């Protein structure tokens, strides 16, 4: 033993004496050397699909960092040293460079004496040869634990702690000498467990009929491990933080008409589909099959494609920037039951655009990592697969390199989930977050404009229409939930806004309907929750907007059919909402007054049958509070019009991203009559409308207050229960 240690010391000293001091110039790249075994080694094409994490680490660093991978198969800490490989690194490295030392897989091979080292030999080599010599050369030493092997417990289906004596020595030496420790063993165990028994085979070297290797990695798995190593460096080596980038994201500038090739060979095993996002406009062709034509407004254009021969070919008619990201996804025909355990997607820490597909017809709220991202998703829905309700949540921040997805409420099953990196080729969209109850929440996934809808039959929340009223560079995130109240929403959902919102985003808050029946039924409970959300939103630069809830048709009507406001505004809770907005200096919209005045103008009969839920079979009202398709659309229009009215006087609302909402105003007529509302509520009635298609004369009038401004006559062909657009700025009717 003494002879062995003496020989090692002499070799080390000779290496240092023969090495001429290297001084890093100002423009020289920072280099990261890797000393390791087969799990880190770089592999050529003839070894495909095998990969080592060291060959992909470069992808996670900027161009002013060079990763020099000296890892080689079959080596231990002892044999790597005796072969002179560590001495070669010392000769090549310069002061300020980094060296990652990772061994442990081969060191316990007692039947191979050239590899085997006792615990004391291993610790001596690590401490007194590797680390001491590297520090003598002013190198930065990073110690890494070895990767975990794919050995799942048959009973639990989980990989347990795979540490060995060498792993623990590395940890102890790192702690004693205050060296950065890269916990690759723990990280790779988390990766394998997150993927599960079957999907983890894609990460390891499992090739049907050829290999069932549970130690070495496929290219896909090596990429995942490289990402884990990069993440460990990010957490433990602050000096390299500004040198780290995301290796999964590939960005290129496309010249008009010239094909650009995205090589995805390092991602192709394990990722079947990719998201290609493009800024600009014109025609886009991807792999010769996908065509996208968009206006020149730089709105986000993203296509999901499959790679062909490990390549994605993109051609554009214009000079644009294209960005490619792999699609993290999981789906099953029978869905995933998330009641006992979540559906987990493993992904690097970053910001993602998520898409979810519900499994069944029941309402349910979707969460990612315990943050709610969807409420009452497709309340009634459809039982058909593959076209059930789709819900999207853009720009969600992932930390901890995993997305635990659950759906809860009346259902716990989700059909599929997918995510791709939020494209950086676009300017970030401004978000409008919505908090509230069933009068705002989203019910059906979408309403095609061509669909015939009986008024009063489809329950709808008014915020579901808000997306149609905002500009293309903004996005509505409707997190309102049926039956919710202020305190509960603050406790359960508000964290989603705190973790994902940005300064300049808007936050619409409407509560007061359910609060009187929740908690201690005290107004102070509601206002306290509202004030808390207001203050926390302002602290992150988000602009809150308080909305006083709508009036209800259930309250009393006068003999003449005029609407009478209820005493106390829902037991004083509505008044408390107004007071809270004034007290906390928050933008305020009185939807109660706006809706009450309008309901009074158009009459109780029309409100009952068209704006609320109506039972056509029994000719009775189904619901005195909740809105129909037409009612929700009308109230959403009132909210947007009030924002327009206040914009010039309220700086907080001046940047609210509304389009020309007049173009979005719709008319829906019933079997016997047609009513059309102008900006100020002017009404035109067309009586005795038949069940069949008919050419009718439509009189379109515009009012200012009670004063009639002008009317126009148009002859158009209408069908019962159809919808048409009205452009009120020019008073033209468009089919």
């Amino acid at each position: 033993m003494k002879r062995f240690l003496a020989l090692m010391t002499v070799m080390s000293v000779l290496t240092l004496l023969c090495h001429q001091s290297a001084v890093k110039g100002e423009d020289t790249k920072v280099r990261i050397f890797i000393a390791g075994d087969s799990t880190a080694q770089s592999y050529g094409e003839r070894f495909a699909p095998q990969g080592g994490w060291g060959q992909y680490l470069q992808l996670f660093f900027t161009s002013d960092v060079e990763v020099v991978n000296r890892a080689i198969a079959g080596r231990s800490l002892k044999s790597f040293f005796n072969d002179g490989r560590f001495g070669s690194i010392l000769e090549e490295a310069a002061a300020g460079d980094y060296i990652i030392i990772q061994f442990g897989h081969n060191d316990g091979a007692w039947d191979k004496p050239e590899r085997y080292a006792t615990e004391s030999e291993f610790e001596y080599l690590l401490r007194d040869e590797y680390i001491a010599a590297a520090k003598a050369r002013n190198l930065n030493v990073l110690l890494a634990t070895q990767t975990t092997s794919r050995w799942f417990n048959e009973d639990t289906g989980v990989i347990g702690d795979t540490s060995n004596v060498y792993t623990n020595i590395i940890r102890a030496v790192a702690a004693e000498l205050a060296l950065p420790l890269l916990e690759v063993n723990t990280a790779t165990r988390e990766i394998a467990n997150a993927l599960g028994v079957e999907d983890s085979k894609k990460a390891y070297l499992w090739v049907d009929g050829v290999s069932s290797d549970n130690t070495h990695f496929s290219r896909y798995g090596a990429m995942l491990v490289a990402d884990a190593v990069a993440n460990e460096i990010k957490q433990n080596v602050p000096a390299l933080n500004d040198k780290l980038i995301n290796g999964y994201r590939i960005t290129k500038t496309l010249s008009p008409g010239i094909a650009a090739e995205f090589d995805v060979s390092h991602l192709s095993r394990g990722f079947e589909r990719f998201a290609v996002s493009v800024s600009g406009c014109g025609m886009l062709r991807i792999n010769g099959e996908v065509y996208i034509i968009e206006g020149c407004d730089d709105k986000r254009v993203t296509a999901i494609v499959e790679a062909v021969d490990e390549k994605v070919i993109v051609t554009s008619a214009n000079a644009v920037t294209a960005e490619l990201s792999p699609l993290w996804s999981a789906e099953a025909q029978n869905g995933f039951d998330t009641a006992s355990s979540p559906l987990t997607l493993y992904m690097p820490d970053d910001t993602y655009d998520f898409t979810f597909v519900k499994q069944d017809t029941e309402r349910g709220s979707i969460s990612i990592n315990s943050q709610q991202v969807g409420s009452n998703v497709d309340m009634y829905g459809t039982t058909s697969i593959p076209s059930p309700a789709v819900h999207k949540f853009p720009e969600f921040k992932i930390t901890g390199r995993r997305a635990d997805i659950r759906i809860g409420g009346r259902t716990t099953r989700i059909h599929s989930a997918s995510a791709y990196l939020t494209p950086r080729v676009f300017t970030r969209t401004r978000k409008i977050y919505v908090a509230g109850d069933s009068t705002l929440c989203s019910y059906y996934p979408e309403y095609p404009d061509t669909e015939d809808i009986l008024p009063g039959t489809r329950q709808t929340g008014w915020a579901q229409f808000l997306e149609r009223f905002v500009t293309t560079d903004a996005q509505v995130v409707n997190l309102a939930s049926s039956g919710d109240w202020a305190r509960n929403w603050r406790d359960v959902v508000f964290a989603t806004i705190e973790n994902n919102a940005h300064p300049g985003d808007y936050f619409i808050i409407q509560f007061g309907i359910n609060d009187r029946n929740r908690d201690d039924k005290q107004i102070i409970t509601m206002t306290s929750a509202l004030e808390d959300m207001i203050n926390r939103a302002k602290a992150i630069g988000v602009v809150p907007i308080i909305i006083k809830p709508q009036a209800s048709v259930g309250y009393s009507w006068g003999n003449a059919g005029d609407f009478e406001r209820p005493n106390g505004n829902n037991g004083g809770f509505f008044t408390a909402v107004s007071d809270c907005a004034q007290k906390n200096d928050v933008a305020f919209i009185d939807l109660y007054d706006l809706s009450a005045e309008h309901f009074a103008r158009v009459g109780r009969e029309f409100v009952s049958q068209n704006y609320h839920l109506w039972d056509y079979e029994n000719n009775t009202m189904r619901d005195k509070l909740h809105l129909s398709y037409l009612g929700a659309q009308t109230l959403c229009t009132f909210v947007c019009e009030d924002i327009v009215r206040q914009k010039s006087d309220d700086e907080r609302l001046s940047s609210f991203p509304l389009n020309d909402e007049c173009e979005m105003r719709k008319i829906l007529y019933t079997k016997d009559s047609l009513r059309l509302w102008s900006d100020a509520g002017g009404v035109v009635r067309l009586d005795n409308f038949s069940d069949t298609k008919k050419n009718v004369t439509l009189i379109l009038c515009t009012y200012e207050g009670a004063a009639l401004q002008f009317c126009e006559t148009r002859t158009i062909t209408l069908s019962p229960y159809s919808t048409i657009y009205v452009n009120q700025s020019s008073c033209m009717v468009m089919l």
Side-chain angles (χ1 to χ4, degrees):
M1 176 66 181
K2 290 182 179 179
R3 183 177 180 182
F4 165 79
L5 296 179
L7 177 61
M8 303 294 264
T9 303
V10 169
M11 291 176 62
S12 177
V13 171
L14 288 175
T15 300
L16 290 175
L17 289 175
C18 293
H19 188 284
Q20 295 182 351
S21 176
V23 179
K24 188 177 292 296
E26 290 184 4
D27 298 327
T28 304
K29 292 183 177 181
V30 173
R31 289 179 295 179
I32 302 175
F33 291 85
I34 301 174
D37 53 36
S38 56
T39 60
Q41 177 182 331
S42 297
Y43 294 88
E45 283 301 316
R46 69 187 183 92
F47 292 94
Q50 186 171 0
W53 65 260
Q55 74 189 82
Y56 296 115
L57 189 61
Q58 181 69 66
L59 296 173
F60 294 87
F61 284 95
T62 57
S63 59
D64 54 350
V65 171
E66 180 184 1
V67 175
V68 184
N69 190 11
R70 294 288 185 260
I72 187 73
R75 296 326 191 261
S76 65
L77 190 74
K78 175 181 174 180
S79 62
F80 193 90
F81 188 92
N82 284 343
D83 289 349
R85 296 180 182 276
F86 179 66
S88 296
I89 292 176
L90 292 180
E91 290 177 4
E92 186 177 352
D97 284 340
Y98 291 78
I99 180 170
I100 299 174
I101 302 171
Q102 184 197 56
F103 291 98
H105 279 297
N106 300 312
D107 301 77
W110 56 269
D111 57 335
K112 295 181 174 63
E114 73 278 8
R115 300 183 185 181
Y116 178 70
T118 64
E119 294 178 40
S120 58
E121 288 175 334
F122 186 91
E123 183 175 350
Y124 168 79
L125 282 168
L126 181 63
R127 183 199 305 271
D128 296 334
E129 297 297 341
Y130 279 79
I131 297 173
K135 284 191 169 295
R137 302 297 302 161
N138 291 319
L139 303 183
N140 298 291
V141 178
L142 312 179
L143 298 184
T145 54
Q146 89 277 9
T147 58
T148 196
S149 295
R150 184 188 164 278
W151 300 114
F152 284 90
N153 184 294
E154 293 183 1
D155 296 326
T156 64
V158 174
I159 298 176
D161 189 354
T162 60
S163 302
N164 58 28
V165 293
Y166 306 108
T167 311
N168 293 328
I169 291 172
I170 290 171
R171 289 169 177 156
V173 170
E176 181 183 342
L177 300 181
L179 295 174
L181 176 66
L182 311 182
E183 263 295 1
V184 183
N185 181 264
T186 301
T188 50
R189 187 170 73 252
E190 291 176 354
I191 293 172
N193 282 328
L195 292 172
V197 176
E198 289 302 316
D199 285 347
S200 62
K201 292 177 181 178
K202 298 178 183 179
Y204 287 82
L205 201 56
W206 278 65
V207 181
D208 292 343
V210 178
S211 171
S212 55
D213 189 332
N214 289 311
T215 298
H216 299 96
F217 300 103
S218 67
R219 292 174 173 179
Y220 164 60
M223 186 75 171
L224 294 180
V225 179
D227 173 67
V229 173
N231 186 67
E232 286 295 308
I233 292 173
K234 180 179 180 181
Q235 301 298 323
N236 297 285
V237 191
L240 289 175
N241 271 5
D242 62 341
K243 309 292 186 183
L244 284 162
I245 59 176
N246 193 311
Y248 292 89
R249 194 189 307 269
I250 308 173
T251 304
K252 289 189 176 183
T253 300
L254 308 185
S255 300
I258 300 176
E261 179 180 293
F262 291 83
D263 183 353
V264 294
S265 59
H266 63 290
L267 297 171
S268 58
R269 183 170 174 83
F271 291 108
E272 298 177 355
R273 292 178 294 169
F274 298 84
V276 180
S277 302
V278 179
S279 67
C281 58
M283 185 176 71
L284 180 70
R285 179 178 297 182
I286 306 176
N287 285 353
E289 297 182 359
V290 180
Y291 301 85
I292 300 174
I293 300 176
E294 288 288 340
C296 300
D297 55 5
D298 281 336
K299 73 178 290 188
R300 178 174 300 179
V301 180
T302 300
I304 306 300
V305 301
E306 294 185 4
V308 177
D309 296 327
E310 299 186 327
K311 291 179 176 59
V312 175
I313 308 298
V314 182
T315 308
S316 174
N318 296 280
V320 297
T321 301
E323 188 170 85
L324 181 141
S325 162
L327 194 73
W328 286 262
S329 63
E331 64 180 66
Q333 186 64 31
N334 295 322
F336 301 91
D337 191 343
T338 63
S340 57
S341 60
L343 167 61
T344 299
L345 300 179
Y346 176 82
M347 53 188 58
D349 288 354
D350 213 305
T351 304
Y352 293 83
D353 287 2
F354 278 85
T355 299
F356 308 97
V357 181
K358 275 187 79 263
Q359 178 67 21
D360 51 36
T361 60
E362 295 290 345
R363 74 172 75 176
S365 297
I366 295 175
S367 66
I368 307 174
N369 296 342
S370 300
Q371 298 177 46
Q372 191 165 307
V373 295
S375 300
N376 289 341
V377 183
D378 187 34
M379 181 171 281
Y380 299 108
T382 173
T383 57
S384 63
I385 300 288
S387 57
V390 177
H391 179 72
K392 296 184 178 182
F393 191 94
E395 301 181 27
F396 185 89
K397 296 177 185 176
I398 289 295
T399 57
R401 306 200 322 277
R402 61 188 293 163
D404 289 334
I405 300 163
R406 291 183 183 271
I407 185 168
R410 294 183 181 176
T411 181
T412 59
R413 301 191 71 83
I414 188 169
H415 173 257
S416 64
S418 61
Y420 58 87
L421 289 163
T422 299
R424 292 177 180 168
V425 297
F426 304 98
T427 302
R428 180 187 178 274
T429 56
R430 179 176 297 172
K431 299 296 186 298
I432 304 167
Y433 294 92
V434 179
D437 51 42
S438 56
T439 62
L440 294 84
C441 72
S442 297
Y443 290 80
Y444 295 85
E446 60 183 27
Y447 289 108
D449 293 330
T450 57
E451 185 177 5
D452 290 342
I453 302 174
L454 284 170
T457 57
R458 288 214 169 172
Q459 185 170 345
T460 311
W462 68 256
Q464 183 166 340
F465 281 103
L466 191 57
E467 188 79 52
R468 296 186 177 185
F469 289 79
V470 301
T471 55
T472 56
D473 60 350
Q475 191 158 18
V476 177
V477 182
N478 189 4
L479 297 176
S481 178
S482 178
D484 222 336
W485 65 103
R487 185 203 58 77
N488 187 70
W489 203 96
R490 186 268 316 271
D491 294 346
V492 176
V493 189
F494 188 75
T496 303
I497 294 179
E498 281 192 312
N499 293 332
N500 296 282
H502 290 255
D505 287 344
Y506 282 89
F507 179 29
I508 291 175
I509 313 170
Q510 179 189 299
F511 288 105
I513 293 176
N514 296 315
D515 299 80
R516 65 183 301 177
N517 299 316
R518 304 288 185 174
D519 294 321
D520 56 4
K521 303 180 182 180
Q522 295 294 315
I523 289 176
I524 191 174
T525 304
M526 178 188 72
T527 55
S528 176
L530 291 176
E531 288 182 351
D532 187 30
M533 289 190 286
I534 288 169
N535 292 330
R536 289 159 67 182
K538 288 180 177 179
I540 57 177
V542 173
V543 182
I545 302 174
I546 292 290
I547 295 186
K548 185 177 180 179
Q550 73 201 50
S552 169
V553 75
Y555 295 122
S556 60
W557 293 72
N559 294 330
D562 293 332
F563 183 83
E564 294 179 356
R565 292 176 178 79
N567 294 327
N569 287 207
N570 202 30
F573 280 77
F574 285 12
T575 302
V577 170
S578 307
D579 295 342
C580 180
Q582 183 176 5
K583 174 185 175 183
N584 292 278
D585 190 26
V586 176
F588 175 68
I589 295 173
D590 194 335
L591 185 56
Y592 182 86
D593 276 356
L594 293 171
S595 58
E597 292 171 4
H598 180 71
F599 291 169
R601 280 198 300 268
V602 301
R604 180 174 186 176
E605 178 184 0
F606 190 86
V607 172
S608 300
Q609 295 183 26
N610 294 274
Y611 286 174
H612 292 283
L613 302 181
W614 184 261
D615 184 345
Y616 277 85
E617 183 176 348
N618 298 307
N619 201 36
T620 58
M621 178 176 284
R622 288 173 44 212
D623 193 311
K624 298 179 180 180
L625 171 67
H626 294 101
L627 300 166
S628 70
Y629 177 82
L630 179 60
Q633 186 174 245
T634 303
L635 264 62
C636 188
T637 303
F638 291 163
V639 170
C640 294
E641 287 176 344
D642 204 50
I643 291 175
V644 172
R645 182 184 62 80
Q646 295 189 53
K647 267 190 170 187
S648 58
D649 299 324
D650 192 335
E651 185 178 351
R652 296 165 298 191
L653 296 175
S654 60
S655 299
F656 196 92
L658 284 175
N659 59 22
D660 181 1
E661 77 285 351
C662 291
E663 293 184 358
M664 302 306 298
R665 181 74 63 84
K666 282 190 172 183
I667 310 163
L668 189 146
Y669 56 92
T670 64
K671 179 176 179 180
D672 298 320
S673 66
L674 170 65
R675 293 196 174 203
L676 171 67
W677 323 119
S678 72
D679 278 352
V683 178
V684 175
R685 179 187 291 271
L686 181 66
D687 294 320
N688 301 319
F689 185 65
S690 68
D691 287 341
T692 59
K693 287 186 177 181
K694 184 178 181 180
N695 289 330
V696 298
T697 299
L698 176 66
I699 303 173
L700 178 61
C701 297
T702 301
Y703 288 77
E704 184 174 333
L708 177 65
Q709 298 299 301
F710 61 89
C711 293
E712 290 191 60
T713 302
R714 290 287 183 270
T715 300
I716 56 177
T717 301
L718 298 178
S719 299
Y721 314 121
S722 296
T723 57
I724 57 177
Y725 287 108
V726 175
N727 183 337
Q728 291 175 304
S729 61
S730 61
C731 286
M732 295 292 290
V733 175
M734 299 179 293
L735 293 178

